[in-house]
C-alpha cells in the first residue's frame, strides 16, 4: 500500500473481471469501510478505460494511488 488509510477508515483494493452487461474486461476497485468508492475499468472489447466514482469526495492521494496501481497492473488491453 502506498497511501495510509485516513484515521478510522479501512482500505481494500480488489481486482475483478467483468464479462456481464455488455462489458468484457477487468477493473480495479477501491473499497473504503466496506463501501465501493472508485472503479477503474478496462474494457477489452471496446478498447476503453473508464473511472467511476461512487462517493462525493475522495482524498486525492487515494485517487492517485488507484491510477498508479491500474497503470502498473491492468493498463494493457488483451487481444
Amino acid at each position: 500500500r502506498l497511501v495510509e488509510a485516513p484515521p478510522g477508515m479501512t482500505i481494500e483494493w480488489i481486482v475483478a473481471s467483468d464479462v456481464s452487461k455488455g462489458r468484457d474486461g477487468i477493473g480495479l476497485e477501491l473499497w473504503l469501510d466496506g463501501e465501493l468508492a472508485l472503479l477503474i475499468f478496462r474494457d477489452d472489447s471496446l478498447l476503453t478505460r473508464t473511472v467511476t466514482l461512487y462517493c462525493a469526495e475522495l482524498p486525492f492521494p487515494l485517487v492517485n494511488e488507484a491510477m498508479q496501481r491500474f497503470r502498473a497492473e491492468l493498463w494493457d488491453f488483451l487481444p
Side-chain angles (χ1 to χ4, degrees):
R1 173 173 318 192
L2 301 173
V3 176
E4 291 299 316
M9 186 174 283
T10 60
I11 295 176
E12 184 176 7
W13 298 96
I14 297 176
V15 174
S17 65
D18 186 352
V19 290
S20 64
K21 302 176 189 168
R23 291 166 44 133
D24 181 10
I26 193 163
L28 175 66
E29 300 173 347
L30 167 61
W31 291 75
L32 298 176
D33 287 339
E35 299 285 331
L36 182 58
L38 175 142
L39 167 66
I40 305 175
F41 186 75
R42 182 194 77 212
D43 192 311
D44 293 320
S45 63
L46 299 176
L47 301 178
T48 59
R49 298 175 190 94
T50 57
V51 177
T52 305
L53 299 176
Y54 293 94
C55 60
E57 294 182 8
L58 279 174
F60 182 78
L62 288 176
V63 175
N64 191 46
E65 180 174 353
M67 296 299 295
Q68 289 177 17
R69 286 173 177 261
F70 186 84
R71 283 188 178 114
E73 301 172 23
L74 303 172
W75 185 257
D76 295 328
F77 293 109
L78 294 181

